[in-house]
Amino acid sequence: MLGKLIKHEITSVSRWYLGLYGAILLLSAIVGVWLRSFLVRAGIHSIHSAQFESDFYYQPALFEAIIFTVIFLVFLGLFISLALATLFLIIRRFKDSIYGREGYLTLTLPVSHSQLLVSKVAGAIFWQLASGFTTLLSFIIIGGILLGQFTDVPNLAHYLIGWSYWLELTGFLLSFIIASISGTLLIYLAISFGQLFDRSRNVIAFLFYLVLALLIGFINTHLPWSGINADLAMGLENLVLSLVYFYSIRYLLINKVNLD
């Protein structure tokens, strides 16, 4: 049943997200092609050329510059929309399906409160990772087209074989996932706390989140990180906080549910 819940969390918004990802990657290719064309018309055949600085004074036609500016602004807007949409997903999917009208059905499903929470977090983390991968792929597309070739791919593949890099990458991904889980659960806890009140729930939830986030940040700045691995310590802290958030939300779901 847990697998079905996670699948539902992912597929319920997949069409919208995949469309957004497709638009970003398509515009990445357009931006890369235009930049490559601009360099070629400017007589710059290599970004390492000694004549790069003098050649760069080439100016495109006004109409072309306007069109590219519009495309670039749309491209930038899509990235902003992606970040906001991911945050919106985390908030709305939890709030509506747990404490909204959907909650009357959700909370009667034959699953435990822990499974319900895990499915919500898993869906949110999946789309955060997907958004990060799309952003990385977008810059790879622009860079590859701009350089006009992918000659560094073999060298990169050779570098990736090294165990040290894989360990480094694995550590980064684990840290990112744990931090994302902690941040997502903090948002869920703030929403759950706000639902304890009959009025101004959103305002109370925001203030709760703000105060708690500032308090944690203040504590982190005064902890004695010297002499220990700061990344490892932060990872352990986020793991502990995730458990605290998780069981606090679980307690509120079991004992203090206040649906709209």
Side-chain angles (χ1 to χ4, degrees), residues 74-196:
V74 172
F75 181 62
L76 181 62
L78 285 175
F79 272 112
I80 296 174
S81 299
L82 180 60
L84 293 177
T86 303
L87 178 62
F88 181 80
L89 167 74
I90 294 173
I91 295 173
R92 298 304 302 180
R93 282 297 303 164
F94 183 77
K95 186 175 185 296
D96 291 347
S97 62
I98 299 295
Y99 295 107
R101 292 183 178 180
E102 293 180 39
Y104 292 98
L105 174 62
T106 302
L107 295 176
T108 58
L109 293 174
V111 295
S112 66
H113 291 85
S114 295
Q115 288 178 318
L116 192 60
L117 268 178
V118 168
S119 68
K120 297 296 180 185
V121 173
I125 298 304
F126 175 86
W127 288 116
Q128 289 180 59
L129 289 173
S131 298
F133 177 77
T134 301
T135 301
L136 177 62
L137 184 58
S138 172
F139 285 107
I140 290 176
I141 290 173
I142 293 175
I145 296 175
L146 181 59
L147 295 174
Q149 54 187 346
F150 291 88
T151 55
D152 288 334
V153 171
N155 294 330
L156 179 60
H158 177 73
Y159 178 65
L160 290 177
I161 295 176
W163 280 106
S164 61
Y165 180 82
W166 281 113
L167 290 174
E168 207 175 299
L169 179 61
T170 302
F172 172 78
L173 287 176
L174 285 175
S175 297
F176 175 80
I177 291 173
I178 293 174
S180 298
I181 291 174
S182 177
T184 300
L185 285 171
L186 176 56
I187 293 175
Y188 289 171
L189 178 58
I191 294 172
S192 299
F193 182 79
Q195 299 307 306
L196 298 176

Side-chain angles (χ1 to χ4, degrees), residues 198-215:
D198 294 326
R199 296 182 179 180
S200 305
R201 292 179 172 182
N202 293 334
V203 175
I204 293 173
F206 174 76
L207 291 176
F208 178 85
Y209 174 86
L210 185 63
V211 170
L212 197 55
L214 290 175
L215 178 61

